[in-house]
Amino acid sequence: MTPAAITSFFTTLRAANPLPVTELEYTSVFELLAAVLLSAQATDVSVNKATRRLFPVANTPARILALGQEGLEGYIKTIGLYRSKAKHLMETCRILVERHGGKVPRTREELEALPGVGRKTANVVLNVAFGEPTMAVDTHIFRLGNRTGLAPGKTPYEVEQQLLRRIPAEFMEHAHHWLILHGRYICLARKPRCWECQVSDSCDWPDKTRSP
C-alpha cells in the first residue's frame, strides 16, 4: 500500500467509526488489564461473560487475592486455559499490591514484568487506558497487515514495527481498534467479505472475493 492508500484506508475507517472502543467490558484500568490478560486465546464474548460475574465481587488486586486461586477459578472456568490464567492473574495482583500500591503501572517495562502480560497485552493497556500510540498485534492485525499490504511481516513484532512506521500520526490513537474490528467482522481469515469492505480500493490483496 502506498502512503496515499494508507491515508485513504484510515480516513475511511475513521469516517465510519470515529471513536472505536474495545469490546471487552471494563470500568477501571485494572479491570481492563485483567480482562485483556484473560482474553488470550479466548473470545471477548467469553471473557465478558465471566467478568460480569467476577468484577462485581472482586475488581481490585486486593479483592482478587482475597478470593484465592480456587475462588478465582470458579468465576473464570468458562474461559479457555482458565487455570493458568488464574495463576497468572493472582501473581500479577500480588505484584501490583506489593510493588505498585495496587495500581497498574504506566510503563511498558513494568507491565511486561507482570505474569501473563506480554507485549500485546501491554500495548492494549498503554493504548486504551493511557492513550499512547501503540499497536497490539493480534491474529486479526497480523493477517490484515500482510493481506492488505499495509504492514507485511513474518512475525507480530515485524508487523507492529511496520504499522508504527507507516500509519500517519493522526490515526494512531484508534488504529489498533479499527484494524481489529475490521479483521473481526469484514476481513475474515477464511473468506474475507470484500464485497462489503469500504476500504477494498486501498487494499493490495489480489484475490478479492465476490458476494456469494
Side-chain angles (χ1 to χ4, degrees):
M1 291 175 71
T2 65
I6 292 172
T7 296
S8 175
F9 182 92
F10 283 102
T11 298
T12 301
L13 293 179
R14 179 173 63 185
N17 188 4
L19 296 172
V21 295
T22 178
E23 294 186 323
L24 289 171
E25 297 172 359
Y26 70 98
T27 61
S28 69
V29 178
F30 173 72
E31 286 187 3
L32 174 66
L33 173 64
V36 178
L37 188 155
L38 295 173
S39 71
Q41 300 182 55
T43 65
D44 288 357
V45 172
S46 68
V47 173
N48 289 337
K49 181 179 179 180
T51 57
R52 285 171 195 159
R53 296 176 58 242
L54 172 65
F55 288 158
V57 176
N59 66 342
T60 68
R63 289 176 180 172
I64 294 285
L65 289 172
L67 287 177
Q69 181 161 335
E70 186 175 340
L72 175 59
E73 287 178 0
Y75 284 98
I76 67 170
K77 61 185 178 182
T78 55
I79 302 174
L81 306 174
Y82 74 94
R83 286 194 175 92
S84 63
K85 290 177 181 179
K87 181 179 179 180
H88 287 150
L89 183 53
M90 291 292 291
E91 185 64 12
T92 283
C93 288
R94 184 188 65 78
I95 293 172
L96 291 177
V97 169
E98 293 180 356
R99 302 181 190 174
H100 301 288
K103 303 293 184 182
V104 177
R106 296 192 61 150
T107 70
R108 175 186 301 283
E109 293 74 21
E110 290 172 315
L111 286 168
E112 290 188 19
L114 299 172
V117 178
R119 186 176 184 87
K120 183 182 76 173
T121 298
N123 278 336
V124 173
V125 174
L126 290 170
N127 177 250
V128 177
F130 302 128
E132 295 193 18
T134 59
M135 183 59 62
V137 178
D138 67 351
T139 56
H140 297 303
I141 293 182
F142 184 79
R143 180 174 69 252
L144 259 68
N146 282 284
R147 178 183 280 168
T148 65
L150 173 62
K154 295 181 180 179
T155 67
Y157 183 76
E158 287 181 8
V159 171
E160 176 189 332
Q161 295 305 304
Q162 283 268 63
L163 290 168
L164 292 175
R165 283 194 295 268
R166 304 197 75 200
I167 298 174
E170 66 177 297
F171 302 115
M172 275 305 303
E173 180 179 358
H174 298 303
H176 162 251
H177 285 127
W178 285 321
L179 292 175
I180 283 181
L181 293 171
H182 194 66
R184 186 172 289 168
Y185 297 111
I186 299 296
C187 198
L188 308 179
R190 292 187 178 182
K191 186 176 181 180
R193 303 177 67 84
C194 299
W195 64 93
E196 293 182 352
C197 180
Q198 295 178 310
V199 291
S200 61
D201 289 345
S202 303
C203 170
D204 288 345
W205 195 47
D207 301 320
K208 293 184 174 66
T209 59
R210 296 182 179 181
S211 176

